[in-house]
Amino acid sequence: MWRSCHRLRDGGRRLLNRPVGGPSASKSPGPTIPSPARAYAPPTERKRFYQNVSITQGEGGFEINLDHRKLKTPQAKLFTVPSEALAIAVATEWDSQQDTIKYYTMHLTTLCNTSLDNPTQRNKDQLIRAAVKFLDTDTICYRVEEPETLVELQRNEWDPIIEWAEKRYGVEINSSTSIMGPSIPAKTREVLVSHLASYNTWALQGIEFVAAQLKSIVLTLGLIDLRLTVEQAVLLSRLEEEYQIQKWGNIEWAHDYELQELRARTAAGTLFIHLCSESSTVKHKLLKE
């Protein structure tokens, strides 16, 4: 299944030295979805002001300590997370910063701040509806009518994921070449709403975040269920873009930077979902091993 995707990516790299330009391939008819408003736009950088990072368990969960100061959210709430594993991951983000703190690389911290402060004041039902709404504009449900090579590529790479999701959840997910988008049965929405209701609000924040990166709830579900790796999901979400890069070329450093950034955000969001869905404490015996 992945051969054509990897050929596409490798072919694109070989063509990067070609002049950029020329007519573009037909665009997918799907509308451009505005990403959900990010809860915070953290400051870009600042000088590191702490030496050591540690975690402690308090009454409300696990806390992050920067030297002897407890980490706070942008709304000045105590930064407390529900699981030890998530606390360790966040502490690792802070500890890995060098002389300069690069906040834009700390995706787990940002997601925790969003969950703690809830600046948009959304409840669990609203988070679920926001995630399911991605079905209306899901990347892999919008298809082109030409050129035939791209039509075939979309069919070969996206159809198996749709078929997996339909079988996994017992639903019907259609694709379409119409600007109006695919017709999604009401039952499909109901089933996915019921499935997402099994997640807590923290995990739902992560699900919406990943769906916004990939522009696809179907690919997001594939990631959560371990049907896809992060690299596969990102490549599938960029299928048309990678096709056009192969055809017309691109600036190598810009393409690689964008790709790595998308992978980093998607990986962090997926990790966040899993860490928010697991037990609250880590078995220290496993850590020692």
Side-chain angles (χ1 to χ4, degrees):
M1 170 184 175
W2 301 107
R3 290 179 181 175
S4 55
C5 268
H6 288 297
R7 284 201 303 271
L8 180 65
R9 182 179 59 187
D10 295 339
R13 294 183 183 278
R14 290 196 298 272
L15 291 172
L16 288 173
N17 292 326
R18 293 176 54 182
V20 179
S24 60
S26 299
K27 290 281 187 181
S28 295
T32 301
I33 4 177
S35 298
R38 288 289 298 275
Y40 296 110
T44 53
E45 296 181 358
R46 69 170 291 186
K47 183 177 176 61
R48 178 165 171 162
F49 57 88
Y50 54 91
Q51 294 295 323
N52 302 307
V53 183
S54 61
I55 65 172
T56 54
Q57 186 170 10
E59 293 183 2
F62 294 87
E63 303 164 2
I64 310 297
N65 306 301
L66 305 179
D67 292 333
H68 300 295
R69 290 175 287 188
K70 293 189 179 298
L71 185 62
K72 299 290 184 67
T73 72
Q75 291 185 11
K77 295 179 181 177
L78 182 63
F79 189 101
T80 307
V81 299
S83 75
E84 186 179 9
L86 180 56
I88 292 172
V90 171
T92 301
E93 276 191 334
W94 285 88
D95 195 43
S96 65
Q97 303 302 305
Q98 302 301 315
D99 294 336
T100 301
I101 304 171
K102 299 181 179 180
Y103 292 99
Y104 51 85
T105 67
M106 304 171 72
H107 306 300
L108 291 174
T109 299
T110 301
L111 282 165
C112 290
N113 283 331
T114 302
S115 298
L116 287 165
D117 285 347
N118 190 17
T120 56
Q121 296 299 304
R122 291 183 297 172
N123 59 31
K124 183 173 182 177
D125 289 340
Q126 290 171 317
L127 288 171
I128 292 172
R129 287 199 297 271
V132 173
K133 191 170 178 57
F134 276 95
L135 275 176
D136 296 327
T137 51
D138 200 292
T139 293
I140 70 173
C141 292
Y142 277 91
R143 306 299 174 88
V144 298
E145 294 181 309
E146 58 178 351
E148 183 56 37
T149 50
L150 181 54
V151 171
E152 182 180 4
L153 184 65
Q154 290 179 339
R155 182 171 56 246
N156 291 342
E157 301 301 333
W158 286 348
D159 281 1
I161 304 304
I162 290 180
E163 291 168 4
W164 164 82
E166 289 180 327
K167 183 177 180 181
R168 165 68 174 83
Y169 299 103
V171 298
E172 178 184 350
I173 301 174
N174 301 312
S175 60
S176 173
T177 59
S178 168
I179 189 66
M180 301 303 294
S183 173
I184 305 296
K187 181 182 177 183
T188 297
R189 298 180 192 276
E190 293 171 3
V191 170
L192 292 184
V193 165
S194 177
H195 172 72
L196 292 176
S198 65
Y199 291 91
N200 59 47
T201 55
W202 283 61
L204 288 170
Q205 292 278 9
I207 290 171
E208 185 187 12
F209 176 80
V210 174
Q213 307 311 308
L214 301 176
K215 305 296 185 290
S216 171
I217 188 63
V218 178
L219 292 177
T220 300
L221 292 172
L223 267 177
I224 297 171
D225 273 9
L226 306 182
R227 170 62 177 78
L228 298 170
T229 65
V230 168
E231 184 179 34
Q232 290 168 345
V234 167
L235 191 56
L236 286 172
S237 75
R238 292 168 48 91
L239 199 62
E240 182 177 355
E241 184 175 355
E242 294 290 340
Y243 173 87
Q244 293 193 31
I245 288 171
Q246 178 185 1
K247 190 173 180 66
W248 306 114
N250 201 354
I251 301 173
E252 184 171 6
W253 70 265
H255 169 260
D256 289 347
Y257 177 80
E258 181 182 345
L259 184 62
Q260 293 303 324
E261 277 292 293
L262 181 56
R263 284 178 180 168
R265 292 192 298 270
T266 302
T270 304
L271 177 62
F272 182 82
I273 295 166
H274 285 290
L275 294 182
C276 290
S277 305
E278 296 178 352
S279 60
S280 61
T281 57
V282 174
K283 293 183 179 178
H284 294 280
K285 180 180 179 182
L286 294 178
L287 288 178
K288 292 176 182 178
E289 292 175 353

mmCIF file of all heavy atoms in Angstrom, residues 8-36:
data_model
loop_
_atom_site.group_PDB
_atom_site.id
_atom_site.type_symbol
_atom_site.label_atom_id
_atom_site.label_comp_id
_atom_site.label_asym_id
_atom_site.label_seq_id
_atom_site.Cartn_x
_atom_site.Cartn_y
_atom_site.Cartn_z
ATOM 1 N N LEU A 8 6.376 8.425 -4.467
ATOM 2 C CA LEU A 8 5.968 9.813 -4.687
ATOM 3 C C LEU A 8 6.898 10.760 -3.956
ATOM 4 O O LEU A 8 7.382 11.733 -4.515
ATOM 5 C CB LEU A 8 4.530 9.996 -4.192
ATOM 6 C CG LEU A 8 3.903 11.377 -4.339
ATOM 7 C CD1 LEU A 8 3.758 11.735 -5.793
ATOM 8 C CD2 LEU A 8 2.551 11.403 -3.655
ATOM 9 N N ARG A 9 7.162 10.473 -2.684
ATOM 10 C CA ARG A 9 8.022 11.342 -1.896
ATOM 11 C C ARG A 9 9.448 11.345 -2.431
ATOM 12 O O ARG A 9 10.071 12.382 -2.594
ATOM 13 C CB ARG A 9 8.020 10.887 -0.438
ATOM 14 C CG ARG A 9 8.867 11.783 0.462
ATOM 15 C CD ARG A 9 8.827 11.310 1.891
ATOM 16 N NE ARG A 9 9.322 9.943 1.975
ATOM 17 C CZ ARG A 9 9.279 9.211 3.074
ATOM 18 N NH1 ARG A 9 8.734 9.694 4.169
ATOM 19 N NH2 ARG A 9 9.750 7.988 3.086
ATOM 20 N N ASP A 10 9.982 10.144 -2.757
ATOM 21 C CA ASP A 10 11.346 10.067 -3.254
ATOM 22 C C ASP A 10 11.472 10.741 -4.605
ATOM 23 O O ASP A 10 12.453 11.406 -4.905
ATOM 24 C CB ASP A 10 11.798 8.608 -3.345
ATOM 25 C CG ASP A 10 11.876 7.957 -1.971
ATOM 26 O OD1 ASP A 10 11.981 8.711 -0.975
ATOM 27 O OD2 ASP A 10 11.823 6.722 -1.893
ATOM 28 N N GLY A 11 10.441 10.560 -5.447
ATOM 29 C CA GLY A 11 10.456 11.196 -6.753
ATOM 30 C C GLY A 11 10.461 12.695 -6.627
ATOM 31 O O GLY A 11 11.118 13.404 -7.392
ATOM 32 N N GLY A 12 9.722 13.203 -5.637
ATOM 33 C CA GLY A 12 9.668 14.641 -5.416
ATOM 34 C C GLY A 12 11.038 15.193 -5.064
ATOM 35 O O GLY A 12 11.422 16.267 -5.512
ATOM 36 N N ARG A 13 11.788 14.449 -4.255
ATOM 37 C CA ARG A 13 13.121 14.921 -3.879
ATOM 38 C C ARG A 13 14.038 14.983 -5.090
ATOM 39 O O ARG A 13 14.866 15.879 -5.214
ATOM 40 C CB ARG A 13 13.719 14.007 -2.801
ATOM 41 C CG ARG A 13 12.970 14.079 -1.489
ATOM 42 C CD ARG A 13 13.658 13.216 -0.448
ATOM 43 N NE ARG A 13 12.914 13.237 0.784
ATOM 44 C CZ ARG A 13 12.997 14.196 1.685
ATOM 45 N NH1 ARG A 13 13.777 15.229 1.465
ATOM 46 N NH2 ARG A 13 12.290 14.139 2.796
ATOM 47 N N ARG A 14 13.896 14.012 -6.020
ATOM 48 C CA ARG A 14 14.753 14.010 -7.207
ATOM 49 C C ARG A 14 14.442 15.186 -8.116
ATOM 50 O O ARG A 14 15.282 15.639 -8.875
ATOM 51 C CB ARG A 14 14.582 12.696 -7.967
ATOM 52 C CG ARG A 14 15.168 11.484 -7.242
ATOM 53 C CD ARG A 14 15.308 10.315 -8.198
ATOM 54 N NE ARG A 14 14.021 9.889 -8.711
ATOM 55 C CZ ARG A 14 13.243 8.993 -8.111
ATOM 56 N NH1 ARG A 14 13.631 8.456 -6.963
ATOM 57 N NH2 ARG A 14 12.091 8.645 -8.637
ATOM 58 N N LEU A 15 13.220 15.682 -8.037
ATOM 59 C CA LEU A 15 12.808 16.757 -8.929
ATOM 60 C C LEU A 15 12.999 18.144 -8.327
ATOM 61 O O LEU A 15 12.653 19.143 -8.950
ATOM 62 C CB LEU A 15 11.326 16.566 -9.299
ATOM 63 C CG LEU A 15 11.035 15.361 -10.202
ATOM 64 C CD1 LEU A 15 9.535 15.177 -10.322
ATOM 65 C CD2 LEU A 15 11.641 15.553 -11.582
ATOM 66 N N LEU A 16 13.559 18.208 -7.143
ATOM 67 C CA LEU A 16 13.638 19.502 -6.460
ATOM 68 C C LEU A 16 14.541 20.498 -7.162
ATOM 69 O O LEU A 16 14.405 21.694 -6.972
ATOM 70 C CB LEU A 16 14.130 19.302 -5.020
ATOM 71 C CG LEU A 16 13.107 18.655 -4.116
ATOM 72 C CD1 LEU A 16 13.735 18.342 -2.766
ATOM 73 C CD2 LEU A 16 11.909 19.558 -3.935
ATOM 74 N N ASN A 17 15.465 20.014 -7.987
ATOM 75 C CA ASN A 17 16.361 20.925 -8.671
ATOM 76 C C ASN A 17 15.761 21.505 -9.941
ATOM 77 O O ASN A 17 16.365 22.368 -10.573
ATOM 78 C CB ASN A 17 17.686 20.213 -9.017
ATOM 79 C CG ASN A 17 18.470 19.879 -7.773
ATOM 80 O OD1 ASN A 17 18.433 20.625 -6.812
ATOM 81 N ND2 ASN A 17 19.178 18.753 -7.794
ATOM 82 N N ARG A 18 14.565 21.036 -10.323
ATOM 83 C CA ARG A 18 13.907 21.593 -11.494
ATOM 84 C C ARG A 18 13.350 22.967 -11.171
ATOM 85 O O ARG A 18 13.016 23.260 -10.038
ATOM 86 C CB ARG A 18 12.772 20.664 -11.951
ATOM 87 C CG ARG A 18 13.264 19.340 -12.484
ATOM 88 C CD ARG A 18 12.098 18.435 -12.821
ATOM 89 N NE ARG A 18 11.167 19.090 -13.713
ATOM 90 C CZ ARG A 18 10.038 18.522 -14.135
ATOM 91 N NH1 ARG A 18 9.722 17.328 -13.737
ATOM 92 N NH2 ARG A 18 9.237 19.166 -14.954
ATOM 93 N N PRO A 19 13.227 23.845 -12.186
ATOM 94 C CA PRO A 19 12.644 25.170 -11.929
ATOM 95 C C PRO A 19 11.245 25.041 -11.386
ATOM 96 O O PRO A 19 10.467 24.205 -11.841
ATOM 97 C CB PRO A 19 12.656 25.832 -13.317
ATOM 98 C CG PRO A 19 13.685 25.071 -14.106
ATOM 99 C CD PRO A 19 13.663 23.678 -13.577
ATOM 100 N N VAL A 20 10.929 25.854 -10.402
ATOM 101 C CA VAL A 20 9.589 25.838 -9.826
ATOM 102 C C VAL A 20 8.665 26.623 -10.734
ATOM 103 O O VAL A 20 8.974 27.726 -11.151
ATOM 104 C CB VAL A 20 9.597 26.476 -8.425
ATOM 105 C CG1 VAL A 20 8.207 26.478 -7.859
ATOM 106 C CG2 VAL A 20 10.555 25.721 -7.530
ATOM 107 N N GLY A 21 7.503 26.060 -10.999
ATOM 108 C CA GLY A 21 6.541 26.769 -11.837
ATOM 109 C C GLY A 21 5.747 25.801 -12.662
ATOM 110 O O GLY A 21 5.760 24.604 -12.456
ATOM 111 N N GLY A 22 5.058 26.306 -13.662
ATOM 112 C CA GLY A 22 4.253 25.453 -14.504
ATOM 113 C C GLY A 22 2.873 25.334 -13.953
ATOM 114 O O GLY A 22 2.596 25.662 -12.804
ATOM 115 N N PRO A 23 1.938 24.856 -14.770
ATOM 116 C CA PRO A 23 0.560 24.707 -14.318
ATOM 117 C C PRO A 23 0.469 23.683 -13.229
ATOM 118 O O PRO A 23 1.173 22.687 -13.241
ATOM 119 C CB PRO A 23 -0.175 24.256 -15.601
ATOM 120 C CG PRO A 23 0.892 23.624 -16.436
ATOM 121 C CD PRO A 23 2.143 24.379 -16.150
ATOM 122 N N SER A 24 -0.372 23.920 -12.279
ATOM 123 C CA SER A 24 -0.513 22.987 -11.163
ATOM 124 C C SER A 24 -1.521 21.923 -11.510
ATOM 125 O O SER A 24 -2.386 22.105 -12.359
ATOM 126 C CB SER A 24 -0.959 23.731 -9.904
ATOM 127 O OG SER A 24 -2.188 24.348 -10.132
ATOM 128 N N ALA A 25 -1.431 20.788 -10.812
ATOM 129 C CA ALA A 25 -2.403 19.717 -10.990
ATOM 130 C C ALA A 25 -3.739 20.186 -10.468
ATOM 131 O O ALA A 25 -3.824 21.113 -9.673
ATOM 132 C CB ALA A 25 -1.934 18.464 -10.248
ATOM 133 N N SER A 26 -4.794 19.520 -10.882
ATOM 134 C CA SER A 26 -6.133 19.908 -10.445
ATOM 135 C C SER A 26 -6.235 19.856 -8.947
ATOM 136 O O SER A 26 -5.775 18.916 -8.313
ATOM 137 C CB SER A 26 -7.173 18.949 -11.048
ATOM 138 O OG SER A 26 -7.123 19.012 -12.447
ATOM 139 N N LYS A 27 -6.816 20.867 -8.383
ATOM 140 C CA LYS A 27 -6.975 20.930 -6.941
ATOM 141 C C LYS A 27 -8.157 20.113 -6.500
ATOM 142 O O LYS A 27 -9.153 20.012 -7.199
ATOM 143 C CB LYS A 27 -7.190 22.379 -6.504
ATOM 144 C CG LYS A 27 -5.936 23.240 -6.650
ATOM 145 C CD LYS A 27 -5.007 22.970 -5.506
ATOM 146 C CE LYS A 27 -3.826 23.932 -5.530
ATOM 147 N NZ LYS A 27 -2.904 23.665 -4.440
ATOM 148 N N SER A 28 -8.045 19.528 -5.313
ATOM 149 C CA SER A 28 -9.199 18.846 -4.741
ATOM 150 C C SER A 28 -10.311 19.859 -4.543
ATOM 151 O O SER A 28 -10.052 21.008 -4.191
ATOM 152 C CB SER A 28 -8.838 18.222 -3.388
ATOM 153 O OG SER A 28 -7.887 17.211 -3.580
ATOM 154 N N PRO A 29 -11.584 19.467 -4.752
ATOM 155 C CA PRO A 29 -12.684 20.401 -4.656
ATOM 156 C C PRO A 29 -13.009 20.824 -3.248
ATOM 157 O O PRO A 29 -13.800 21.711 -3.033
ATOM 158 C CB PRO A 29 -13.849 19.610 -5.266
ATOM 159 C CG PRO A 29 -13.505 18.179 -5.014
ATOM 160 C CD PRO A 29 -12.002 18.111 -5.123
ATOM 161 N N GLY A 30 -12.407 20.162 -2.250
ATOM 162 C CA GLY A 30 -12.766 20.466 -0.867
ATOM 163 C C GLY A 30 -12.397 21.878 -0.479
ATOM 164 O O GLY A 30 -11.366 22.392 -0.885
ATOM 165 N N PRO A 31 -13.230 22.506 0.316
ATOM 166 C CA PRO A 31 -12.945 23.857 0.778
ATOM 167 C C PRO A 31 -11.800 23.851 1.765
ATOM 168 O O PRO A 31 -11.490 22.846 2.382
ATOM 169 C CB PRO A 31 -14.255 24.275 1.465
ATOM 170 C CG PRO A 31 -14.850 22.983 1.917
ATOM 171 C CD PRO A 31 -14.477 21.977 0.872
ATOM 172 N N THR A 32 -11.156 24.978 1.897
ATOM 173 C CA THR A 32 -10.086 25.102 2.886
ATOM 174 C C THR A 32 -10.709 25.293 4.258
ATOM 175 O O THR A 32 -11.466 26.208 4.484
ATOM 176 C CB THR A 32 -9.213 26.322 2.568
ATOM 177 O OG1 THR A 32 -8.658 26.151 1.263
ATOM 178 C CG2 THR A 32 -8.093 26.463 3.592
ATOM 179 N N ILE A 33 -10.408 24.352 5.167
ATOM 180 C CA ILE A 33 -11.017 24.457 6.494
ATOM 181 C C ILE A 33 -10.148 25.310 7.383
ATOM 182 O O ILE A 33 -8.982 25.057 7.517
ATOM 183 C CB ILE A 33 -11.118 23.106 7.203
ATOM 184 C CG1 ILE A 33 -10.486 22.008 6.433
ATOM 185 C CG2 ILE A 33 -12.438 22.810 7.710
ATOM 186 C CD1 ILE A 33 -10.513 20.728 7.148
ATOM 187 N N PRO A 34 -10.731 26.283 8.022
ATOM 188 C CA PRO A 34 -9.951 27.025 8.999
ATOM 189 C C PRO A 34 -9.657 26.128 10.186
ATOM 190 O O PRO A 34 -10.538 25.440 10.683
ATOM 191 C CB PRO A 34 -10.886 28.176 9.403
ATOM 192 C CG PRO A 34 -12.256 27.698 9.068
ATOM 193 C CD PRO A 34 -12.113 26.719 7.946
ATOM 194 N N SER A 35 -8.412 26.099 10.600
ATOM 195 C CA SER A 35 -8.073 25.285 11.766
ATOM 196 C C SER A 35 -8.751 25.862 12.993
ATOM 197 O O SER A 35 -8.913 27.066 13.110
ATOM 198 C CB SER A 35 -6.556 25.287 11.988
ATOM 199 O OG SER A 35 -5.909 24.709 10.882
ATOM 200 N N PRO A 36 -9.168 24.979 13.911
ATOM 201 C CA PRO A 36 -9.768 25.481 15.143
ATOM 202 C C PRO A 36 -8.799 26.428 15.820
ATOM 203 O O PRO A 36 -7.598 26.235 15.781
ATOM 204 C CB PRO A 36 -9.970 24.204 15.974
ATOM 205 C CG PRO A 36 -9.988 23.096 14.993
ATOM 206 C CD PRO A 36 -9.098 23.526 13.865
#
